[in-house]
Amino acid sequence: MDAVLELRHVHAGYEDRPVLEDVSLVIPRHRVVGLVGESGSGKSTLARVAAGLLAPASGQVLLDGRPLSGRRDKAACRKIQMVFQNPEGSLNPRRRVGRALEEAMVFHGAAARGEAREKCLRLMERMELPADALDRLPRAFSGGQKQRVALARALAVEPELLIADEATSALDVSVQLKMLDLIRALRAERSLTILFISHDLGVIRYVCDEVVVMRAGRILEAQPAGDFFLRPQTEYGRQLLDSVPRIDF
Amino acid sequence: MDGDVILGVEGLNLYDRAGNRLVRDVSIGLRAGETLGLVGESGSGKTLTLRSLVGLLPDGVREECAGRRDNPNCAMIFQNPMSALDPLCPVFRQLCEVIRIRQRTNPAKTKARATELLRRLSLPEELAVSDRLPGSLSGGQCQRVLIAMALSCNPEALLCDEPTTALDVTVQRQTLALIGELQRERGFAVLFVTHNLAVAAQVCRSLAVMRRGEIVERGPVRRLLTEPAHEYTKTLARAILPVSRREA
Amino acid sequence: MNRRLKRPRRGAVTLSVGLFMMAAMLALALLAPLVCRYDPLEQDLYAFLQPPGGAHPFGTDQLGRDMFSRVAYAARTDLRIMALAEIAPFVTGLFLGMLSGYYGGWVEWLVILATDAFIAFPYYLLVIVVAFATGAGAHGIYITFMLVGWLLYARVARGATASLRESEWLQAARMMGYSDMRVIWRELFPNVLPQAVVVLMTDMAGLLAIIVTLGYLGIGVTPPTPDWGAMIAEGQNFMTTAWWLSVIPGLMVVYTGIALSFIGDGLADIWN
């Protein structure tokens, strides 16, 4: 199987607090892998390791089959981009959105200096953001818009793998649905690979092809979404699934 | 259900300092033992309405009430249980204090009641003898401590402001079940504010949907979800991402 | 709740008042050669100790020198020293503070240690010692500020940077693969600068007080170059008969200090 990113026996954590224990995970190309778990399960730490923001204490991280070690080079950075949870913190409050996007595009050669603006405009349009969005500071956007700008920034450099760490969790449900629909559409258009982290099984089911369940820093099970939602393999998976508030009449 | 309205307000309007209307003409009435869900997204005014009912409006919000209002003895639980407790005071002492003040009991009786509550809410009983601080409890445990405090006031109505939003799903389920059980035991009314229709549907029989400070639709849960009349209710219902039941 | 709640524009008002006051003072200093009818050093012993009014709006001193010219030229001297003495410390402090806040580790530890040590250190004493060592003139102030002035800005910039270190947008910038210098300059700097500028305004007011104090003690700007501090000291002998000799330069110092604080407060309000 062609994997964009692979974690092999990764241990990672902070100073004196180990979080991930022997985590192995394969993110196959063009798939959306849902990572689900409760608070403290280590899913955000896993995202940080995958994103290169946290170096694993031991184990290997492979990008396109080649081990990554130490500081990532420019090409590796381009291939993995991330959208974070908190809309208020995801954008530099003192930089105009357009400048940040253009800079990223030009830096990674996703667009020549002259055409970057044009490309940004198209991207904004695709994100269903107003045309003047590029000249605004982040505070002029609503929470949902901010997250879509953050998504635009991530996609501006045409990454292979998008990591979404609870990217819609802080949004209102109707706004969340809009963003999820956008992610689903973009995924098909751009043949993206996505690591989608969420605590919300409804959301995971809506966007993901595979489900990975984490608890206490370990991966408990990993299987195709269709199978997981019918037949979770672990007791904890069943518990999680049964706890989701349901409306059935 | 019969009986008088015990918690309610008629024709409530709330304004900010600049005179903008934050809540428009909201009427709510709850009878003993009833559960009403107040559903809406951020900025809909649901939390403000709730706060107005308990008299905890933030600074600068002015209220006008056209009709009657009924404020029974009520208690409230909050969204973020961790920040609702004093982080530097042992949990048990905080619980005892509420009991002592609300029930005017002597120290021995206070402790006995507090211990009883710990047991009822399945909190570790060693809390009674140790000086554990809120920081050493989980979010779900903190919320149960807050529910214990609320119960110690013998409330006629329990107001819940997104009480499970900050909790994990498994803990959410336990907490919701617990609130339901306690309600059946003690017969208080529950006003449940949430942005999550699915959660509201689990706890409440009837719902009021709020948007931009107004109640746009109200009715029994079942009808609201199966045949919503208002466009906004439809949007909310559509935004519920269902999870099917697993195979047994 | 309504997010569009208009913030009170108090900051903007304070800032405009401060800027206007400061602009007036700067205009006086810069245009002194044009607006003053008398040379500040020109003595006129027939018209000494004249009270404010008539040909001398601020009066004359014991040697018959025009007080308005002297105050204006003193503004030139004192404000120039103030600005020059702050530039280098501001730039170095800001830069070192951002570096230490961004990288953390032992560099950050060193900066914290140094800044904390100097907070406990009697600042005035150091200035006076250095001023004595280097002889009269502004050198003492320049040297002292080169030595310790940057610590304040390093402290502020480090704090601001450290609080942003874990912010998601900074991590996003890092994930873009930008070099550290690029992240510091393009992403961090615009966020740290406002706080540093607010502190700069307050610190300039403090520095002005130091310059004036040294002039007053006779170890700052050397006479006959006009300087507010020296003017206050000279006028002291005539306090009962010619109050304007001390009071007017004193008011100048107070006026400039207030203008700077208004600018600082206004900026702080607007940028928060």
Side-chain angles (χ1 to χ4, degrees):
Chain A
M1 192 163 43
D2 179 19
V4 177
L5 194 79
E6 189 178 348
L7 273 63
R8 280 189 193 159
H9 305 293
V10 165
H11 291 251
Y14 307 92
E15 291 183 0
D16 49 351
R17 189 168 54 90
V19 181
L20 299 184
E21 284 179 53
D22 195 24
V23 167
S24 297
L25 173 70
V26 175
I27 302 174
R29 197 173 299 280
H30 306 325
R31 302 284 278 174
V32 180
V33 175
L35 184 59
V36 68
E38 297 189 304
S39 49
S41 62
K43 44 189 200 309
S44 284
T45 308
L46 194 155
R48 287 173 58 89
V49 170
L53 292 169
L54 180 71
S58 67
Q60 265 191 322
V61 181
L62 289 85
L63 175 64
D64 289 331
R66 278 188 305 278
L68 284 169
S69 58
R71 195 168 171 134
R72 296 187 178 181
D73 61 17
K74 199 168 151 179
C77 285
R78 179 178 180 177
K79 285 182 182 168
I80 305 178
Q81 286 297 314
M82 184 154 165
V83 180
F84 297 85
Q85 171 169 12
N86 174 14
E88 300 317 310
S90 58
L91 303 170
N92 188 337
R94 296 207 192 275
R95 292 203 75 193
R96 289 188 197 284
V97 165
R99 304 257 330 247
L101 256 66
E102 283 170 39
E103 184 187 356
M105 279 182 181
V106 174
F107 182 76
H108 282 291
R113 200 168 282 279
E115 58 177 28
R117 177 86 190 175
E118 179 56 35
K119 233 178 153 176
C120 284
L121 278 172
R122 280 206 303 274
L123 193 55
M124 287 289 123
E125 197 183 339
R126 183 65 195 90
M127 298 292 157
E128 294 161 43
L129 288 161
D132 65 340
L134 289 177
D135 301 313
R136 294 201 210 156
L137 285 173
R139 65 161 172 267
F141 294 103
S142 70
Q145 287 175 325
K146 280 185 191 135
Q147 285 305 74
R148 274 179 282 146
V149 172
L151 181 61
R153 175 185 57 201
L155 296 182
V157 297
E158 293 158 11
E160 288 181 16
L161 173 66
L162 177 72
I163 302 174
D165 185 4
E166 301 274 7
T168 63
S169 304
L171 306 177
D172 276 329
V173 281
S174 56
V175 184
Q176 162 170 283
L177 185 64
K178 194 174 171 187
M179 175 128 172
L180 293 176
D181 283 333
L182 188 62
I183 291 177
R184 292 213 311 188
L186 285 165
R187 178 235 167 154
E189 282 165 31
R190 302 186 164 219
S191 44
L192 277 172
T193 308
I194 304 179
L195 175 60
F196 194 98
I197 299 169
S198 178
H199 67 280
D200 187 332
L201 277 171
V203 171
I204 294 274
R205 180 166 179 235
Y206 194 64
V207 290
C208 301
D209 310 319
E210 324 247 341
V211 176
V212 176
V213 180
M214 273 193 89
R215 188 187 200 185
R218 292 172 179 279
I219 288 181
L220 292 190
E221 61 178 300
Q223 54 174 333
D227 296 340
F228 172 78
F229 284 99
L230 287 177
R231 292 174 292 276
Q233 287 166 340
T234 55
E235 178 53 36
Y236 181 66
R238 284 191 281 277
Q239 251 184 50
L240 269 186
L241 209 50
D242 291 344
S243 300
V244 179
R246 279 191 181 74
I247 303 173
D248 22 29
F249 296 116
Chain B
M1 222 174 285
D2 297 328
D4 291 333
V5 168
I6 56 158
L7 170 71
V9 66
E10 277 173 21
L12 176 75
N13 285 295
L14 298 174
Y15 304 87
D16 67 11
R17 278 212 181 84
N20 301 314
R21 181 132 53 169
L22 304 173
V23 163
R24 174 193 288 265
D25 200 21
V26 163
S27 301
I28 285 174
L30 266 163
R31 282 176 262 272
E34 228 177 14
T35 311
L36 173 69
L38 201 53
V39 184
E41 296 184 309
S42 54
S44 62
K46 54 189 195 307
T47 295
L48 277 180
T49 306
L50 187 76
R51 283 171 157 255
S52 157
L53 284 170
V54 279
L56 280 176
L57 280 175
D59 270 355
V61 176
R62 190 167 54 82
E63 72 183 325
E64 262 171 29
C65 186
R68 55 180 283 180
R69 63 188 301 161
D70 302 275
N71 284 330
N73 175 16
C74 49
M76 185 161 169
I77 52 178
F78 300 90
Q79 173 167 6
N80 192 340
M82 298 289 200
S83 66
L85 290 168
D86 178 348
L88 295 177
C89 179
V91 177
F92 192 67
R93 201 146 56 150
Q94 297 189 48
L95 178 58
C96 286
E97 193 165 274
V98 177
I99 296 174
R100 190 171 52 77
I101 292 169
R102 294 302 294 250
Q103 305 189 357
R104 301 214 174 76
T105 47
N106 63 36
K109 209 163 179 189
T110 306
K111 277 203 164 172
R113 288 221 177 136
T115 317
E116 198 184 302
L117 277 170
L118 289 184
R119 201 174 304 131
R120 175 63 195 90
L121 296 184
S122 325
L123 282 159
E125 278 179 59
E126 49 110 8
L127 280 180
V129 286
S130 65
D131 277 346
R132 281 173 70 182
L133 298 173
S136 71
L137 299 186
S138 70
Q141 286 176 322
C142 281
Q143 194 58 287
R144 271 179 281 156
V145 170
L146 286 168
I147 295 174
M149 287 179 176
L151 291 182
S152 65
C153 307
N154 290 320
E156 293 167 78
L158 182 66
L159 300 146
C160 309
D161 186 6
E162 305 262 11
T164 60
T165 307
L167 306 178
D168 286 325
V169 271
T170 48
V171 184
Q172 164 169 286
R173 182 162 84 147
Q174 294 158 7
T175 311
L176 294 179
L178 181 65
I179 294 175
E181 266 170 49
L182 293 168
Q183 185 185 17
R184 278 190 293 282
E185 260 174 52
R186 305 196 171 208
F188 49 72
V190 172
L191 180 59
F192 200 96
V193 164
T194 180
H195 69 281
N196 189 328
L197 257 184
V199 168
Q202 284 211 324
V203 189
C204 313
R205 286 228 184 136
S206 56
L207 296 180
V209 179
M210 281 192 82
R211 186 194 198 191
R212 294 189 192 144
E214 279 181 278
I215 293 184
V216 295
E217 188 171 5
R218 64 173 94 207
V221 172
R222 200 189 177 101
R223 189 195 55 72
L224 273 188
L225 291 174
T226 47
E227 29 190 310
H230 195 276
E231 208 41 54
Y232 183 64
T233 317
K234 285 181 194 162
T235 312
L236 280 187
R238 255 201 310 274
I240 299 177
L241 301 170
V243 173
S244 52
R245 291 223 174 262
R246 67 182 168 91
E247 288 173 359
Chain C
M1 252 188 284
N2 195 338
R3 263 197 223 99
R4 277 176 211 188
L5 254 169
K6 277 258 154 54
R7 280 173 142 276
R9 306 297 297 164
R10 201 169 39 114
V13 175
T14 321
L15 178 62
S16 330
V17 172
L19 283 176
F20 180 79
M21 286 172 70
M22 200 60 207
M25 178 53 78
L26 283 175
L28 177 70
L30 292 173
L31 303 177
L34 299 176
V35 294
C36 296
R37 278 187 282 167
Y38 303 90
D39 185 290
L41 302 180
E42 184 191 303
Q43 304 183 1
D44 179 1
L45 293 174
Y46 293 106
F48 70 99
L49 293 183
Q50 285 192 354
H56 303 284
F58 284 0
T60 60
D61 70 359
Q62 70 278 16
L63 298 173
R65 294 175 295 194
D66 178 50
M67 280 295 285
F68 183 79
S69 305
R70 287 185 63 70
V71 160
Y73 276 87
R76 268 172 102 79
T77 323
D78 290 342
L79 295 185
R80 196 187 63 226
I81 298 173
M82 182 180 86
L84 286 181
E86 287 281 11
I87 292 174
F90 181 75
V91 175
T92 8
L94 196 57
F95 188 66
L96 288 177
M98 283 199 298
L99 282 185
S100 73
Y102 183 77
Y103 286 110
W106 63 271
V107 187
E108 183 175 28
W109 183 80
L110 257 182
V111 169
I112 295 178
L113 197 74
T115 49
D116 285 355
F118 268 93
I119 289 206
F121 198 85
Y123 209 72
Y124 265 90
L125 190 68
L126 184 71
V127 180
I128 290 171
V129 168
V130 176
F132 264 115
T134 54
H139 307 296
I141 289 164
Y142 292 137
I143 291 173
T144 315
F145 260 70
M146 291 284 191
L147 284 176
V148 296
W150 62 275
L151 284 163
L152 176 67
Y153 301 106
R155 188 184 163 85
V156 171
R158 188 207 67 78
T161 308
S163 72
L164 297 172
R165 192 160 51 194
E166 294 304 316
S167 68
E168 295 178 339
W169 54 262
L170 200 66
Q171 298 188 22
R174 242 178 263 160
M175 282 194 66
M176 274 294 167
Y178 296 149
S179 66
D180 289 346
M181 279 308 123
R182 190 176 180 130
V183 171
I184 290 176
W185 177 244
R186 295 236 177 131
E187 308 279 339
L188 266 177
F189 178 69
N191 285 279
V192 174
L193 184 67
Q195 283 193 47
V197 171
V198 169
V199 173
L200 173 69
M201 292 302 144
T202 329
D203 197 48
M204 284 219 280
L207 174 57
L208 183 67
I210 292 179
I211 297 170
V212 171
T213 309
L214 290 189
Y216 177 84
L217 295 175
I219 47 177
V221 180
T222 24
T225 312
D227 157 67
W228 290 333
M231 288 170 74
I232 296 174
E234 284 172 27
Q236 230 174 0
N237 302 327
F238 303 91
M239 204 57 206
T240 45
T241 49
W243 53 266
W244 59 92
L245 294 190
S246 294
V247 168
I248 288 176
L251 284 179
M252 288 292 154
V253 179
V254 173
Y255 174 93
T256 316
I258 290 177
L260 288 169
S261 322
F262 274 3
I263 297 177
D265 284 355
L267 288 176
D269 269 4
I270 286 180
W271 277 332
N272 272 335

